Amino acid sequence: MALTPIAFTAEDFRARMTRATQDAAAEGLDGLLVTPGPDLLWLTGYQPTAITERLTLLVLGGDADPQLLVPKLERPDAEAAVGAGVMKISDWRDGDDPYEVAARLLDPGASYAVSDSAWAMHLLGLQRRVEGARFFAVTERLPMLRAVKDENELARMAAAGSAADAAFGEIVKTQFSGRKETEVAADLAQLLRELGHEQVDFTVVGSGPNGANPHHEAGDRVILRGDMVVLDFGGLMYGYGSDTSRTVCVGEPTSQMREVHDIVRAAQQAAFEAVRPGVACQEIDRTARRLITEAGYGERFIHRTGHGIGMTTHEPPYMVEGEERPTVPGMCFSIEPGIYIPDAFGVRIEDIVTVTADGGQRFNDTDRGLVMVE
């Protein structure tokens, strides 16, 4: 995408809070309670320096102005946030009962969606103080809260994807054989940072039989010639996520390795071609799974085809059987089918994709063929 990320403004955060309030009302909720985490950062631009036992709570609902309750000692930081000017900020002091203070902002008997990241002690404290109130997880009632990205967010996603692609382009030039998985993983992490990521979340390097574990954590296994190696890596750039997977071979692959890789590549391409507005998320999963099953490897495709991504690596929507929610322009998610042969090798190919007005667009465009490395 030929877009350059720009700073979010107070008006951006006002629009997000307004939209979230309207979405909550449309779901029959009286409001939304947001604690520190990605939802609070997305809605206000504020993220406490440290998430502690002290209650921080954004209250959205009805016709009332957005209200952010913070510990007294953290108020200066909250007031410095970009979104501070479009919400009322109040505070509580150590020694106060924060839940009693928060209860004054809520309505008895009302129903609220609450951030998934809320601490149990905070939710239980609110339950004790707000008579008759009902609380629901945001993912349960408002799963699409952050799912549809605007142009500025898409530009950040595109930049993160391009940087991850550049990291792959560099890592395949390095030596694999004779080195530990952890050493290659460290190189990948360094490349991501050098290419603009402010945070590296994961660098999966699954060589040989370790590649049959989709979430293998890089270990001390020495990579050998003849190994297939699954590379899955990503993090945050401009506050938004990258996540891409490619499978390489150290030296010449066997005929089975080539066959499996070709099947996964075809399934990934078919699933991408299935992306368009209005298609149920499960249909994207079904498309990839059908092709792999017809090739005789259905039992070796052991995870969903994809997950939403944005300010966090995994978020709604999910490309999985049973998810009937239709895709809409601006949604971003992974397409990452895989085949895993126990005690032998694994193959996964993953791109991040956004839904456009008439189809889909990839944020990753490195070689999806079987790349040979040294």
Side-chain angles (χ1 to χ4, degrees), residues 159-352:
S162 293
D165 282 357
F168 177 74
E170 292 300 315
I171 200 67
V172 296
K173 299 175 185 176
T174 66
Q175 184 76 22
F176 277 65
S177 62
R179 302 178 69 210
K180 294 179 180 180
E181 293 173 342
T182 51
E183 294 174 322
V184 176
D187 286 350
L188 265 174
Q190 181 177 344
L191 284 166
L192 286 170
R193 293 189 183 96
E194 290 175 352
L195 291 161
H197 280 61
E198 65 263 16
Q199 178 176 311
V200 177
D201 290 334
F202 53 94
T203 50
V204 172
V205 179
S207 65
N210 289 340
N213 175 1
H215 281 176
H216 171 69
E217 186 171 343
D220 289 335
R221 183 182 186 277
V222 175
I223 301 170
L224 305 174
R225 291 197 67 80
D227 279 348
M228 292 285 265
V229 184
V230 177
L231 304 172
D232 184 351
F233 52 96
L236 296 181
M237 183 169 173
Y238 300 115
Y240 283 73
S242 67
D243 183 3
T244 187
S245 300
R246 294 292 186 266
T247 304
V248 302
C249 188
V250 186
E252 285 295 321
T254 65
S255 58
Q256 185 189 28
M257 290 173 176
R258 287 188 181 277
E259 175 197 35
V260 170
H261 195 279
D262 286 346
I263 293 167
V264 173
R265 183 182 182 185
Q268 207 265 355
Q269 179 64 28
F272 170 70
E273 292 174 359
V275 176
R276 61 185 182 277
V279 170
C281 293
Q282 68 180 3
E283 287 301 324
I284 297 169
D285 179 85
R286 287 174 175 176
T287 299
R289 200 166 302 278
R290 183 182 307 115
L291 194 152
I292 290 174
T293 299
E294 290 173 353
Y297 288 95
E299 293 300 311
R300 301 304 182 195
F301 181 11
I302 57 177
H303 55 73
R304 64 197 175 201
T305 294
H307 56 81
I309 185 171
M311 296 178 74
T312 55
T313 305
H314 286 192
E315 60 186 43
Y318 297 102
M319 307 301 114
V320 66
E321 182 65 31
E323 178 52 88
E324 298 178 351
R325 190 179 311 278
T327 60
V328 298
M331 280 184 175
C332 299
F333 48 84
S334 67
I335 297 180
E336 50 178 307
I339 293 175
Y340 307 93
I341 313 298
D343 303 317
F345 66 91
V347 174
R348 184 165 63 257
I349 301 172
E350 175 185 17
D351 296 323
I352 299 303

Side-chain angles (χ1 to χ4, degrees), residues 10-91:
E11 288 308 309
D12 289 328
F13 295 118
R14 185 199 301 274
R16 291 175 183 179
M17 287 189 274
T18 298
R19 191 179 92 196
T21 302
Q22 293 171 343
D23 288 349
E27 284 294 317
L29 298 166
D30 295 296
L32 177 61
L33 308 181
V34 186
T35 58
D39 291 340
L40 183 65
L41 182 59
W42 182 76
L43 285 163
T44 69
Y46 175 54
Q47 179 169 275
T49 302
I51 299 175
T52 72
E53 74 284 354
R54 292 185 173 96
L55 177 68
T56 293
L57 188 70
L58 174 68
V59 180
L60 302 176
D63 297 326
D65 291 333
Q67 300 189 70
L68 180 65
L69 177 65
V70 299
K72 179 72 173 179
L73 77 167
E74 295 176 3
R75 182 164 185 155
D77 293 334
E79 290 177 335
V82 176
V86 295
M87 57 186 173
K88 293 181 177 179
I89 298 177
S90 56
D91 59 57

